[in-house]
Amino acid sequence: MKYVVAGVFSIILGFVIQGCATSNRHFDSGKPHHRPDGFVNSDGTTVSKSFSDLLRWYRERHGKDLPPPPGEFIARYEDFPQQAFDKGQLANFSSQTATWLGHATVMVRTNGFTILTDPHFSVRAFPVQWMGPARKVQSPTRVEHLPKIDAVVISHSHYDHLDYNTVIKLTKQQPDILFLVPLGLEKLLKGWGVERVKELDWWETHTIAGNQITFVPAYHWSARTLADRNKSLWGGWTLKSPDLNFYFSGDTGYSRDFDEIGKRLGPFDFSAIAVGAYEPRWFMKAQHVNPDEAVQIHKDVGSKRSMGIHWGTFELTDEPLDQPIGDLQKALGKHSLQKEAFELLAHGQTMNIR
Ligand code: ZN
Ligand code: ZN
């Protein structure tokens, strides 16, 4: 069945119960996105759909055949472009590269410094590996085959971005990696046995050997259990190294945050921006941008070149996995941008970014 029933459960987690009112130990009354019991978006709102909205989505999703997407599409998952990831190939590239490792996992290398975003190499994006959204295209690599990573950044607590098995393997194999996480997640990772972990609030920066890594706002939410909705923060990350300014969006709906990110930290040489998991719009718009909005983000932050992420890997929402290909093409036309300005890579593909 093309539309996996289990996929809906990852979203249900956030909607069923709002959670008990545990206090936010990071609470700072001077910060507009802080609340005594958790966090809100930069405009003071939260992503909140009612349980009846959730049921409506579920009913509509499984009660009808979805219309075919516009444009040209790849018919079978086996036809998705894939490139075997080979550490050796990186030696042939210039000193600034980006590799798409599926979903929101991107490895960026700049002058000997390597950062990995939202690493996920497991089969499923779910608390257990016997149910929940399964990977439709095989991971191009395994944790064991990664080169030396200096820092991992995590955008938020959702299972398709913060994967327990991957984090455990990474930290066992490369104990020196520093994990940078949103406020409220340090304790969880320390509990998993990660020794080097530091949590940041929006606009806070951590510097490693001249590379400034800053946590920036996104319009989204967080949850891993029925009781921790919005107890930890969510966002994107920027990396300012001597030769590269990079932006990673994480998961987000469209907001004014990107203009602000562009003003404070832009322009960017390269960005990784989410372009998938956006249908139906009445339900998803508040939490996931579509390709058109992703291109707007690319412009807002002042990105010279971007790659689309958060697509082609897990079936989380109603659009076919390859719909972003055609929708992005249309969006670039609408915004009068060349296709080189915002690309979709093959799983495992590495590109020069400067
Ligand atoms: Zn999310
Ligand atoms: Zn996601």
Side-chain angles (χ1 to χ4, degrees), residues 78 84 86 136 150 157 160 219 226 246 251 285 330:
E78 305 84 72
D86 169 13
K136 295 292 181 184
D150 296 292
S157 69
D160 56 321
Y219 193 92
L226 298 179
F246 167 66
D251 268 2
K285 189 177 170 60
K330 283 200 317 194

Side-chain angles (χ1 to χ4, degrees), residues 156 158 160-161 220-221 251 288:
H156 64 301
H158 286 156
D160 56 321
H161 298 261
H220 202 61
W221 56 289
D251 268 2
H288 292 150

Side-chain angles (χ1 to χ4, degrees), residues 204-233:
E204 284 182 349
T205 299
H206 182 83
T207 304
I208 309 172
N211 299 284
Q212 296 170 9
I213 304 171
T214 304
F215 190 44
V216 292
Y219 193 92
H220 202 61
W221 56 289
S222 69
R224 284 181 81 78
T225 69
L226 298 179
D228 71 345
R229 187 179 172 91
N230 297 344
K231 304 290 185 218
S232 63
L233 195 53

Side-chain angles (χ1 to χ4, degrees), residues 98-110:
T99 305
W100 185 45
L101 296 170
H103 205 56
T105 308
V106 181
M107 187 173 68
V108 170
R109 314 185 88 205
T110 171

